[in-house]
Amino acid sequence: MKKMLFLSLLMIAVTQIAVASEPLATATATLREIPKEHRLDGVVEAVNQSTVSSQTQGQIEEIFFDVDDFVEKGTLIIQLKDTQQRSSLAQADAELKAANARLQEAQDEFTRIKGVYEKSLVSQSAMDKASTALQQARAQRDSAQAGRNQAQEQLEYTLVRAPYSGIVTQRHVEVGEIASPGQRLISGISLDQLRVNVDVPQSLIPAIRSVGEARVQQPGNGYIKAEKLTIFPYAHSGSNTFKVRLDLPAGSKHMFPGMYVKTAFVVGRQSRLLIPAQAVVYRSEVTGVYVVAPSGKVALRHIRTGNKTANDEIIVLSGLDAGEQVALDPIQAGALLKTQNKEPDNG
């Protein structure tokens, strides 16, 4: 038992000596000018959020997706019964065929009359009559072609496809119901392109207009810069706030429509003392850093911190002066501090 205890103490001592012998990496507390930010809450929304409505009439034969299903762009999501549309298309095809036959007949007649007219064997009125008949036949053919195109389009409307890739949020109909033109069928959103809406006090609007920069806190992944700021040109009558919309980069992760997120608007510049975020130690309610003196002595010092910057640095409000060195590895610095505290006892 004593031998095991001795070995354990020996291993701890060797570990402390090894840690203490390694060079301690440090960083300098630097006074630097950084953007001055004002933080506000915002709400995430999807850029593409819509409800697909029926564009023709028909009984719903099949619904291929339900709520929370992911749908690729162009995928068939609902199919309507197309008996009426196919019948209309067949009728339109027959009318177009008849119109083409009448046009061919009028074209042949016009060619015959024109040849005779050039020999001065028929009157001008006969030539005009043949020309008018040809124009009417062409107009009838064009009308029949338009009717056929419309019938084809109505048939295609019986196959309802996704306008973009996204997630189904609500179904408004069931199989067997009769869908009418304009009736809501299914709703969905796309997570590929998101934006954040923020109500901004009117006092901040001039600075936000001038700078035009903002960040959005991505849950679990720091801040991301907004690609575009859109400031609505009127204030809300009740709160006197302006609505500002922040467009996020495509493919932003960990955010969903309806979520509350933190936003940071740049409203100017300010001089602040900065240290790397990795140097900060959090112990219960105490926030501190290991300060390394020029002699190499290490001391744990309590500091008061501000916000975290976009460069993974922490603003130091008090407890530290510009030019002081802080340890980048708090664990190594803590072990070195323990070793230094034992040195007088050993002497």
Side-chain angles (χ1 to χ4, degrees):
M1 185 67 180
K2 291 182 179 181
K3 184 176 181 180
M4 292 179 62
L5 181 60
F6 173 75
L7 290 174
S8 299
L9 293 175
L10 181 61
M11 290 178 64
I12 294 174
V14 171
T15 302
Q16 290 180 345
I17 293 173
V19 171
S21 63
E22 294 179 2
L24 188 61
T26 62
T28 304
T30 307
L31 192 63
R32 194 163 66 247
E33 191 177 72
I34 62 172
K36 182 180 180 182
E37 295 179 330
H38 192 93
R39 297 174 187 263
L40 296 168
D41 291 330
V43 181
V44 180
E45 73 171 5
V47 175
N48 292 322
Q49 50 182 337
S50 59
T51 297
V52 178
S53 300
S54 177
Q55 295 179 277
T56 188
Q57 183 170 347
Q59 186 180 34
I60 298 174
E61 284 192 334
E62 192 166 359
I63 302 175
F64 298 97
F65 295 92
D66 204 346
V67 174
D68 202 38
D69 288 342
F70 178 79
V71 184
E72 292 283 355
K73 180 180 179 180
T75 302
L76 181 64
I77 52 178
I78 294 179
Q79 183 171 352
L80 306 181
K81 190 174 182 179
D82 59 4
T83 304
Q84 179 181 348
Q85 286 77 10
R86 289 190 178 278
S87 177
S88 299
L89 180 60
Q91 182 179 351
D93 283 335
E95 292 176 355
L96 178 59
K97 185 176 181 180
N100 283 327
R102 288 193 295 269
L103 176 60
Q104 185 62 47
E105 182 180 356
Q107 182 68 52
D108 294 342
E109 180 66 12
F110 175 80
T111 302
R112 187 185 68 80
I113 294 295
K114 182 179 179 182
V116 178
Y117 174 76
E118 290 175 349
K119 297 178 181 180
S120 301
L121 298 178
V122 295
S123 63
Q124 179 67 43
S125 62
M127 184 63 192
D128 293 342
K129 184 177 180 180
S131 179
T132 301
L134 179 60
Q135 293 178 3
Q136 290 177 346
R138 286 174 176 168
Q140 290 173 356
R141 190 276 313 271
D142 292 342
S143 177
Q145 182 64 56
R148 200 270 177 192
N149 293 340
Q150 184 178 8
Q152 178 65 43
E153 191 171 280
Q154 289 296 315
L155 177 60
E156 293 175 357
Y157 285 157
T158 61
L159 302 176
V160 182
R161 300 184 182 277
Y164 49 80
S165 299
I167 299 175
V168 177
T169 58
Q170 189 174 0
R171 275 175 48 180
H172 304 284
V173 292
E174 298 294 338
V175 174
E177 293 185 23
I178 302 297
S180 302
Q183 181 177 353
R184 298 188 304 169
L185 300 178
I186 196 166
S187 299
I189 59 173
S190 173
L191 301 182
D192 293 336
Q193 189 67 55
L194 302 174
R195 60 192 179 197
V196 178
N197 291 319
V198 187
D199 291 329
V200 179
Q202 61 182 16
S203 59
L204 298 176
I205 292 299
I208 292 175
R209 286 187 186 276
S210 175
V211 180
E213 293 183 19
R215 299 186 297 150
V216 177
Q217 188 174 21
Q218 195 174 25
N221 198 27
Y223 279 84
I224 54 176
K225 186 177 181 180
E227 289 190 332
K228 178 184 176 183
L229 272 68
T230 302
I231 303 174
F232 284 60
Y234 55 87
H236 190 274
S237 58
S239 60
N240 294 326
T241 58
F242 284 77
K243 181 180 178 181
V244 180
R245 191 170 63 200
L246 311 180
D247 291 345
L248 301 179
S252 298
K253 303 297 184 182
H254 310 296
M255 286 191 286
F256 299 90
M259 288 179 58
Y260 280 95
V261 293
K262 293 291 184 181
T263 64
F265 290 92
V266 179
V267 294
R269 307 289 295 181
Q270 60 184 351
S271 182
R272 286 290 185 265
L273 187 64
L274 301 174
I275 59 173
Q278 68 186 85
V280 181
V281 180
Y282 300 97
R283 291 184 177 176
S284 187
E285 298 181 358
V286 176
T287 302
V289 291
Y290 286 98
V291 179
V292 182
S295 62
K297 292 293 184 178
V298 178
L300 178 62
R301 188 183 301 174
H302 172 68
I303 61 172
R304 189 163 66 92
T305 60
N307 295 321
K308 192 175 183 179
T309 69
N311 297 325
D312 202 29
E313 294 177 309
I314 294 289
I315 297 175
V316 179
L317 302 177
S318 64
L320 199 63
D321 294 326
E324 289 191 290
Q325 299 291 317
V326 295
L328 293 177
D329 188 347
I331 296 178
Q332 183 185 1
L336 183 58
L337 178 60
K338 290 181 179 180
T339 303
Q340 291 176 357
N341 290 336
K342 290 180 179 179
E343 286 178 357
D345 295 336
N346 294 334

